[in-house]
Each structure stands twice: as C-alpha cells, then as structure tokens.
Amino acid sequence: MTHLALPPQATQVGLAVDVAAFAMHGGELRVLLVQRGELPHARDWALPGGFVQPGEELHEAALRELRTETTVQLEPRHLEQFYTFGEVGRDPRGRIVSVAHLAVLPHGTVSVSGGGHTLGAEWLNAHRPPQLAFDHQTILTRALLRLQLRLEYANLALEFLPDTFTLPELQTVYEAILNRQLDKRNFRKRLLAQGILTPSGERRSGVGRPAQLYRRAKNVRVAAL
C-alpha cells in the first residue's frame, strides 16, 4: 500500500465562517455588521464570523458566531452556505479559508449589540456599507448577487415578510434587494401567475381602500438551487 506523505513545508490552513445576514428595515435592505475590537482591522466594520471549533458543523459555527458577536438570539428564517473564499493573502494572520453563509432574519427590527470581542453591531444599508475589513466587501457583493438570484428561482423574498402581507410590501422587498424600482402592474401580474401566493381573506385598513392581505401558498418553500 502506498502512503502519501505531506510535503516538508505543508501549509497550515485555518477554517472560518462568515455570515451575511439580511433583514428589511423601513423598506430598506440591511446587512448585519460588527465593529471589530481586535487586530487586525481593529475598529473596522466586518461581517460576523470566526474560526470553526473542532468537531463543530459549519452551520453551527455560523449560528454561534452570529449569536456571540451580535447577541441575536433568533434563528434565521433561512441559512445557507453560498461560497468558499480562500484567496492567498485574504487574511494577514495566515492562510484562512472562510465558508460564507447567507442568512435571512425575521421581518422588522431585530435588536443587536456588540458581543464577544466586538465593539458594537448595527444593521446598515446593504448596498451602501462602510468600508469593510479583510475581503468582506467581496463576500457581501457575492451574497447580494446570490440573494438576487434566489429571488427569481427560490421564493426567498417571502422569508423577509410576516405571515400575511400586501403586494406593495412584497414589491418593496424585491425593489430593496434588486436596488431598483419595478413596474407595479407587471410585478403583480407576474407574481400572482406564479401561484406562490394565496389571499388570506383579510384586509388591512389604511389610507384609501383596505389592502388585500396575502400569504405563502401551501407547500411553497424556499427551493434549493
């Protein structure tokens, strides 16, 4: 039997996770960022993340870092791995490979504050973030592209909304993620034709005519890509 030996100067690689967590706030798509409290990049903004512990599954590490660094105790409505970042030089501490996760947190304000070694945590505009540490701008950009793709093929927009919602509220989610306005008539026609929504039988009072409320149709879930 042939045994393959490691070369004399084999590279030691660290394994980490980073989380691009999104939510809707005031009609705006926001991403959860933390302000680092330690070198490298002390005081810079970054995505929540850290090293994977021995024996820990990747999704468990992502949830742990989210809780530890931002004090978010709510489970994401959606969590998925979407890309692995392993470019040489992406981290000044050494060769570190990060498995990036995309998360969607429940609609509305989710209270956050800095935890662990962070100085703070905030929900900030996902399309206009501050300068980010490491290669986290690249990670965020790819996460946004993934989110936009999921809109068209996986019903992910519904994860940003409460159980019942109006069509204008759903259109706001699409526009916030795509970062552009959509034609109201074409949007409604296309969404209703897909069969992913069903009228709830309720209406919401407001200015003008009460708005029809919709909910996710039975058996409609976020599809895998």
Side-chain angles (χ1 to χ4, degrees):
M1 180 182 294
T2 301
H3 294 278
L4 298 178
L6 291 174
Q9 296 180 339
T11 302
Q12 296 295 316
V13 179
L15 180 62
V17 291
D18 288 299
V19 184
F22 298 99
M24 290 292 297
H25 294 274
E28 181 178 271
L29 180 68
R30 302 203 185 175
V31 63
L32 184 52
L33 298 176
V34 297
Q35 190 174 28
R36 289 179 55 81
E38 296 182 330
L39 294 173
H41 296 286
R43 296 190 175 276
D44 287 346
W45 290 97
L47 297 169
F51 291 103
V52 179
Q53 297 177 354
E56 187 176 39
E57 298 291 346
L58 292 174
H59 74 279
E60 293 173 348
L63 292 174
R64 173 179 54 77
E65 289 294 338
L66 198 58
R67 289 192 299 266
T68 301
E69 294 193 347
T70 70
T71 69
V72 168
Q73 299 300 321
L74 294 176
E75 290 291 317
R77 287 191 169 185
H78 180 77
L79 179 72
E80 66 167 294
Q81 298 176 25
F82 71 92
Y83 202 78
T84 299
F85 294 84
E87 291 78 1
V88 175
R90 64 177 298 273
D91 193 311
R93 294 170 293 186
R95 187 68 190 275
I96 297 174
V97 174
S98 178
V99 180
H101 289 66
L102 183 153
V104 176
L105 287 168
H107 176 78
T109 301
V110 178
S111 178
V112 297
S113 61
H117 299 293
T118 66
L119 300 177
E122 289 188 31
W123 288 103
L124 298 175
N125 188 292
H127 295 287
R128 297 185 297 277
Q131 183 174 340
L132 300 180
F134 305 107
D135 59 349
H136 287 194
Q137 181 59 63
T138 300
I139 296 176
L140 176 57
T141 298
R142 188 171 286 271
L144 285 168
L145 290 174
R146 176 73 169 184
L147 193 56
Q148 291 166 354
L149 180 65
R150 293 294 241 150
L151 278 184
E152 298 301 322
Y153 298 101
N155 311 320
L156 190 57
L158 301 180
E159 301 299 313
F160 286 88
L161 293 165
D163 292 337
T164 58
F165 49 86
T166 66
L167 289 182
E169 288 171 342
L170 180 57
Q171 182 169 341
T172 295
V173 172
Y174 272 76
E175 292 178 338
I177 293 174
L178 296 172
N179 201 27
R180 60 183 174 87
Q181 291 187 333
L182 301 173
D183 179 79
K184 179 179 178 180
R185 179 176 297 179
N186 289 339
F187 174 82
R188 294 188 174 199
K189 181 179 179 180
R190 180 170 60 86
L191 260 292
L192 293 176
Q194 289 178 358
I196 65 174
L197 305 178
T198 184
S200 70
E202 302 173 352
R203 290 182 177 273
R204 180 182 299 156
S205 299
V207 178
R209 183 179 177 182
Q212 170 71 60
L213 291 174
Y214 291 83
R215 60 164 49 98
R216 185 196 309 256
K218 289 184 178 180
N219 301 321
V220 171
R221 296 292 182 268
V222 176
L225 291 181

